[in-house]
Amino acid sequence: MIKKILKFFGWLLLIVIVVGFLAYLIINEPRPTGTQGDRAEMLADEMLNSLNKKAYDSIEYIEFTFLGLHSFQWNKKANNVTVRWDDNEVYLDLNQKPEDYTMQEFKAYKYFVNDSFWLVAPFKVRDQGVVRSFVNLKEGRGLLVTYTIGGVTPGDTYLWIVDDMGFPTAWKLWTSNVPVGGLKFTWGNWIRLQDAFFSTLHQSIILDLDITNLKVD
């Protein structure tokens, strides 16, 4: 019986590896090259205006839950956040250098950086150290952004797909923590809070990411 179980799981592991490899071959694509300059800057401005970056900047507090697993109470004005997961609750002073955090604090910091990015990334295309390029796409206009500094994994690149109204409909990503280049996630289920727009659902062929309990002030 034990041999049969081990054989079953051996075949199951092989199937998972083969499916993963085929998915890699089908989905994986090289990072595109864009053109820096006026077209990229104009598209960045159009996206920020459509989502109302000015209203977002005036928001002082954001609360949300990511994937039903991690909850955040983020005081943007004071630059601190309380992170909760499982039975853990960690307060972070975001003015503090990440290397000065304890192991538990750094874990909470990584959760915050990753999860909040899925909420506010469109507002960060003009952050310090971001390189912006324009890319022609069949499905719309593309804004390629590379984060050369900051965060947990500097060097990550995202290709925003922007519609005629200036709203990002999806992005493709090339990041150090995702082995498949060009994996596409939608940006949908937009809601308007304090006159700024936030996407609360990101879908891909592999998994869906949702944001719930979103509140701003």
Side-chain angles (χ1 to χ4, degrees):
M1 178 62 71
I2 294 177
K3 289 184 178 180
K4 289 182 178 180
I5 294 174
L6 291 176
K7 185 177 181 180
F8 170 77
F9 280 106
W11 278 109
L12 183 61
L13 177 61
L14 179 60
I15 291 171
V16 170
I17 292 173
V18 171
V19 170
F21 179 70
L22 291 175
Y24 175 83
L25 292 178
I26 294 170
I27 301 171
N28 188 65
E29 61 182 66
R31 187 174 69 180
T33 55
T35 304
Q36 297 181 40
D38 291 345
R39 294 184 75 186
E41 301 309 317
M42 289 175 63
L43 184 54
D45 286 340
E46 185 179 344
M47 188 168 76
L48 292 173
N49 290 334
S50 295
L51 300 178
N52 203 341
K53 173 70 158 52
K54 185 176 180 180
Y56 168 76
D57 289 341
S58 69
I59 292 173
E60 299 181 358
Y61 174 86
I62 298 178
E63 181 177 331
F64 69 99
T65 300
F66 186 74
L67 284 179
L69 299 174
H70 309 147
S71 296
F72 305 89
Q73 292 178 318
W74 176 20
N75 189 323
K76 281 178 71 232
K77 184 177 182 180
N79 203 29
N80 61 60
V81 62
T82 299
V83 186
R84 295 183 177 88
W85 74 97
D86 297 333
D87 295 325
N88 303 287
E89 179 176 319
V90 178
Y91 170 84
L92 296 176
D93 178 357
L94 297 173
N95 296 304
Q96 188 176 349
K97 295 180 179 179
E99 56 265 30
D100 294 334
Y101 289 142
T102 65
M103 290 182 62
Q104 184 78 335
E105 288 172 339
F106 190 69
K107 184 176 183 179
Y109 174 73
K110 289 195 295 184
Y111 285 153
F112 172 70
V113 170
N114 175 79
D115 299 357
S116 65
F117 198 65
W118 286 95
L119 179 66
V120 303
F123 300 110
K124 298 176 70 63
V125 297
R126 286 200 177 281
D127 279 9
Q128 183 181 2
V130 175
V131 177
R132 293 168 296 278
S133 304
F134 183 88
V135 180
N136 285 309
L137 302 172
K138 293 180 180 179
E139 60 266 55
R141 298 168 297 167
L143 180 66
L144 189 71
V145 296
T146 299
Y147 291 84
T148 61
I149 61 173
V152 178
T153 54
D156 289 350
T157 296
Y158 303 83
L159 176 62
W160 289 103
I161 301 170
V162 184
D163 69 14
D164 293 338
M165 301 297 293
F167 268 73
T169 60
W171 71 5
K172 294 183 177 182
L173 47 88
W174 290 262
T175 64
S176 59
N177 57 1
V178 177
V180 180
L183 182 60
K184 183 178 179 180
F185 284 87
T186 64
W187 279 66
N189 277 26
W190 289 92
I191 62 174
R192 185 176 181 177
L193 297 172
Q194 299 283 49
D195 290 329
F197 289 89
F198 298 90
S199 170
T200 58
L201 180 62
H202 311 292
Q203 296 177 301
S204 76
I205 64 171
I206 296 177
L207 77 163
D208 296 343
L209 308 175
D210 68 328
I211 294 167
T212 56
N213 304 320
L214 179 60
K215 302 175 184 176
V216 306
D217 195 11

